[in-house]
Every structure is written in C-alpha cells, then in structure tokens.
Amino acid sequence: MAVPKTVLWERDPHTAAKHNLLKRYLEPWAPILLSRNDTITYAEGFSGPGLYSQGEPGSPVIALEAFAKALQHRPGRIRMVLVEGDKRRESELKKQLGKARGHHSDDVVRRLHLNTHCGECHPTLLEQLRLQGCLGKPLFVLLDSYGGPDIPFSLLKELGKHRSTEVLVTFQPQFLTRFAERNEGHRRSGDAAFGGTAWHDVFKQPSKQKFTFLRDQYRETLRRAGFTHTLFFEMVDEDGHVLYLIFGTRHERGLEKMKEAMWSVDRDHGVRYRDPKDVEQQQLALELEPNTGPLRRILLEHIAAAPKGLTVAKLKTFALLETVYKPSQVTKLITDMRDAKVVTTTPRRVTADTVVVPHVSPPQASGQAEALTLF
Ligand SMILES: C[S@@+](CC[C@H](N)C(=O)[O-])C[C@H]1O[C@@H](n2cnc3c(N)ncnc32)[C@H](O)[C@@H]1O
C-alpha cells in the first residue's frame, strides 16, 4: 500500500484483521492485569488518527473500547500513551478519543487516562513513558508503522529491559529485500532496526526464503531485546504484499492469550490472514477444519523421545512454547490418538496429569500368528 498523505485513508482488509487481533488480545489482557495491578499502560508509537475514511475506528479507539469494558468490571486505572508524528492526525485522534470516551460512565472515564503527543515515535514514546512512570509496570506497546524499517533496536532494548513489557510490531520485509543490497543508506536503516548486520545474510537466500528469513531475524532481534517468547502473524494484501505482526513477551500467559487471539482470526492455521481476493486464500478457504495435523506429528515425535512418557500438562507447555499451536488443542488430539491406538494414556481419561506413551500392540499369541500365516 502507498503511504497515505491525507489525514484519513481507507482501511484495507488486512488492517481490519490486525484490528481484530488487537481487540481479541486486549480484551483478556486488560482484566487479567487489572486483577493484579493498580495501574496498567497501553502505548502506541504510530497511533494514526483513530479513524478510517469509511468511519471505522483506528487502533487507539479499539483499545479504548476494550479498556472501558474491562474498567466496568474491575477496579484500577488504565493509562493510554499515544504518539503520532503528523499534527493533523494527532488532532483528529484527540477528537476521536474524546468522542469514544463520551459514551462511557463517569467512573470509567475517571480511571481511563488518555495522553496523546505529537512527535517522532523515538524518542517521544520513551520520554513520555518515563515521565509518567509507566516503565517497569504492566505495559503493552503497539509499534504499528507502515512497516519500516523505522523502529530502532535501541527503543526495543529499552522497552525489553522491563519484564512486564510486551510489544506488537509491524514489520514489512519487501523494502529491505528490494532496496537494501545496493543502497548503503537503506542498509544502515536495516542495521538500526535489527541492532546488527546478521540480517545481511538475506541477500544470500533464495528468493522464496527471503521474507521468512527476515521475519525470523526480526524475531531474534526481539529476543535479543529481552522478549524471550515471540510469535508472528502474517498478513497478505490483495496484491500479495506481505506484512508481519511480531509479538514479544516474557510471559507464558501473554503468549497463550496472543495465540488464542491469532487462532480466532485465522481459524485454520493460527498464523496468517490473506486478503479474500488473494488466489491462494481461496484455496485455503476450502480447508474447513483447523489444521492440527502438524501438531499431531510434532507431539508424537516428542512423546516418542521421552522413554517414560509425558504428562498432558507437559505436552501443553511444549505446544505453547515450541509450536504455533494453542495448549487447548492438545487435549483433543491426545484423546483422538488414544482412540486410534496411536498412544496409550494412563489413566485412560485425558486430564493434565495423564501420562502419555506411544501405543505398543500386545504380542499376538503364537497359534493366532500361525493361523494368519496359513491362510
Ligand atoms: C500504519 S499508521 C497507524 C495506524 C494505526 N495504528 C491504526 O491501526 O489505526 C502509521 C501512523 O504513523 C505515523 N508516523 C509515521 N512515521 C512516524 C514517526 N516516525 N513517528 C510517529 N508517527 C509516525 C503516520 O502519520 C501514521 O498515522
């Protein structure tokens, strides 16, 4: 998509998918964290105007609605720190947030603190977060630029120093694969985003693997910044342009909730959104069942490698940390594999403590074996 110049622009289908993902994550995120903390913060470094040209809400307004809902049922406060580089868009954002806030009760409004700032994402965002004492406390940061690379590693590192920070970053690989090999300036902006030069190996990759290589390099960048668990969600627009949303957290619960959000947007695979006009998407739409075939195979390999078997609880943690799948998908798969005599479960009923081992067929009685051979 060309970078828009007007204050508002049209929302494309993959932005709608991104908003859906954000909403599905923030709706559980806010109440879970409010149940244990007095104040939590949501921040954006590229907030946008809060509105699209056909009247759809922008990400800060979607977040506000999720937070207003959470504050109706929980005590505590939510702070929103929103940075936008374009003055006209920041003014529109203020207006949209004011309007959205007006629909909620005085009690909710009193506990929902809104701060918008016009400035460059870096360093304005960090300065504001410091000034308002948000670092070191629960903080979710959306860095949703047009795809960059325009988020410096130094910003990620500052955010990643704090255990309770989570980030969701938009990353677009095309620009670097197309222009950075021959342009030193673009290569340097890549170095600033990745915090090093290891990503230059993308120039040696076969064309088909360049995007996934950069995606994995970016996940590694988030890990180096301190976000021990990362997930990606791929979005492809109608012209086949790829954009990744990359999530980083140190918390298994955050990882689990983000996976649930991703699987609610992509019910088949949990990792991508393709524009309905994209040809490949039309083929994918034929797959009606969630595709858990690969998880079945991965679990079986994992079980076979553990001589004493593994509990269902351990298999769920494995699925959460090492695969794209959700822990909640494990129980049904183990039950199906038990019924198909692929694994044995002790006790038979599948609960967290059930131990799973590969199924071994009982040796056949010798008479029976002979009979089979004879006929
Ligand atoms: C992709 S849009 C954000 C959309 C918004 N997150 C949403 O989903 O509704 C990116 C926004 O970042 C702003 N922007 C671009 N460069 C910026 C920078 N360096 N610092 C802060 N904002 C910037 C643009 O003006 C634009 O409004």
Side-chain angles (χ1 to χ4, degrees):
M1 180 185 100
V3 172
K5 300 267 185 291
T6 46
V7 177
L8 307 185
W9 62 93
E10 204 162 311
R11 187 187 70 172
D12 46 33
H14 75 264
T15 301
K18 175 175 72 188
H19 288 163
N20 195 3
L21 181 70
L22 184 70
K23 176 174 174 319
R24 302 270 186 160
Y25 185 68
L26 295 178
E27 279 180 352
W29 178 83
I32 290 173
L33 288 169
L34 282 175
S35 68
R36 279 179 260 129
N37 299 275
D38 181 44
T39 307
I40 65 176
T41 305
Y42 171 86
E44 288 204 40
F46 303 81
S47 303
L51 181 71
Y52 284 80
S53 60
Q54 303 298 312
E56 305 92 340
S59 51
V61 173
I62 290 166
L64 182 150
E65 294 299 344
F67 298 154
K69 209 192 245 176
L71 288 171
Q72 279 166 20
H73 305 287
R74 303 263 177 196
R77 297 166 196 279
I78 303 183
R79 209 183 274 127
M80 296 180 71
V81 178
L82 303 164
V83 175
E84 164 57 43
D86 181 318
K87 185 70 206 149
R88 299 164 308 159
R89 291 180 181 156
E90 194 244 348
S91 302
E92 183 64 37
L93 176 63
K94 265 202 182 103
K95 201 166 105 188
Q96 293 306 322
L97 291 170
K99 241 195 219 173
R101 199 155 70 152
H103 298 140
H104 299 286
S105 70
D106 290 350
D107 174 52
V108 165
V109 168
R110 195 176 44 78
R111 294 182 293 122
L112 188 54
H113 300 233
L114 305 180
N115 305 271
T116 67
H117 306 273
C118 182
E120 284 289 305
C121 166
H122 193 54
T124 313
L125 181 66
L126 215 47
E127 285 169 0
Q128 289 302 324
L129 291 173
R130 275 203 192 107
L131 207 66
Q132 297 180 42
C134 310
L135 296 171
K137 298 183 185 131
L139 168 64
F140 179 93
V141 183
L142 176 63
L143 295 170
D144 180 31
S145 74
Y146 290 116
D150 44 13
I151 296 155
F153 179 65
S154 53
L155 168 60
L156 295 175
K157 230 169 108 185
E158 282 302 316
L159 294 171
K161 274 184 187 164
H162 306 280
R163 283 190 57 75
S164 42
T165 302
E166 296 185 331
V167 285
L168 184 63
V169 185
T170 307
F171 173 70
Q172 188 226 54
Q174 268 106 327
F175 181 80
L176 290 176
T177 56
R178 277 184 71 188
F179 302 117
E181 191 164 10
R182 269 172 253 119
N183 181 312
E184 208 193 315
H186 293 333
R187 238 180 359 259
R188 270 206 299 269
S189 59
D191 295 349
F194 284 95
T197 57
W199 70 275
H200 292 191
D201 279 351
V202 70
F203 305 130
K204 300 184 205 146
Q205 305 299 315
S207 305
K208 275 195 149 181
Q209 282 161 30
K210 283 187 191 295
F211 287 3
T212 49
F213 178 85
L214 278 190
R215 178 199 72 201
D216 292 341
Q217 283 288 313
Y218 203 75
R219 289 178 76 185
E220 181 50 35
T221 298
L222 283 192
R223 274 183 222 119
R224 273 190 289 122
F227 301 99
T228 41
H229 306 305
T230 66
L231 290 173
F232 71 86
F233 193 81
E234 180 187 284
M235 297 184 298
V236 183
D237 72 14
E238 63 177 284
D239 299 320
H241 297 131
V242 175
L243 205 62
Y244 293 111
L245 287 175
I246 306 196
F247 174 66
T249 183
R250 290 199 198 187
H251 298 277
E252 290 183 13
R253 189 94 193 268
L255 196 65
E256 189 178 344
K257 291 290 157 201
M258 183 53 86
K259 276 193 186 181
E260 281 168 12
M262 288 179 171
W263 277 90
S264 70
V265 177
D266 174 7
R267 294 184 185 280
D268 297 326
H269 303 87
V271 290
R272 64 184 168 211
Y273 168 81
R274 282 180 180 270
D275 190 291
K277 293 184 213 96
D278 183 83
V279 179
E280 212 182 313
Q281 168 61 26
Q282 290 167 10
Q283 285 157 7
L284 290 171
L286 296 175
E287 299 172 24
L288 296 176
E289 285 294 307
N291 186 357
T292 49
L295 178 60
R296 187 181 196 272
R297 183 176 45 74
I298 296 167
L299 286 179
L300 259 179
E301 279 170 13
H302 196 53
I303 295 163
K308 292 187 181 156
L310 290 166
T311 60
V312 170
K314 284 218 165 102
L315 291 169
K316 284 186 171 187
T317 306
F318 170 75
L320 174 68
L321 300 182
E322 309 293 338
T323 77
V324 301
Y325 296 94
K326 295 180 291 181
S328 56
Q329 290 167 316
V330 169
T331 306
K332 179 170 185 320
L333 273 180
I334 294 294
T335 309
D336 290 350
M337 287 197 272
R338 177 203 66 195
D339 295 347
K341 295 201 166 31
V342 175
V343 296
T344 304
T345 55
T346 313
R348 185 177 155 74
R349 195 164 150 254
V350 179
T351 65
D353 298 329
T354 302
V355 176
V356 189
V357 294
H359 181 78
V360 183
S361 311
Q364 284 167 331
S366 54
Q368 243 181 342
E370 269 168 35
L372 283 173
T373 323
L374 282 173
F375 293 98

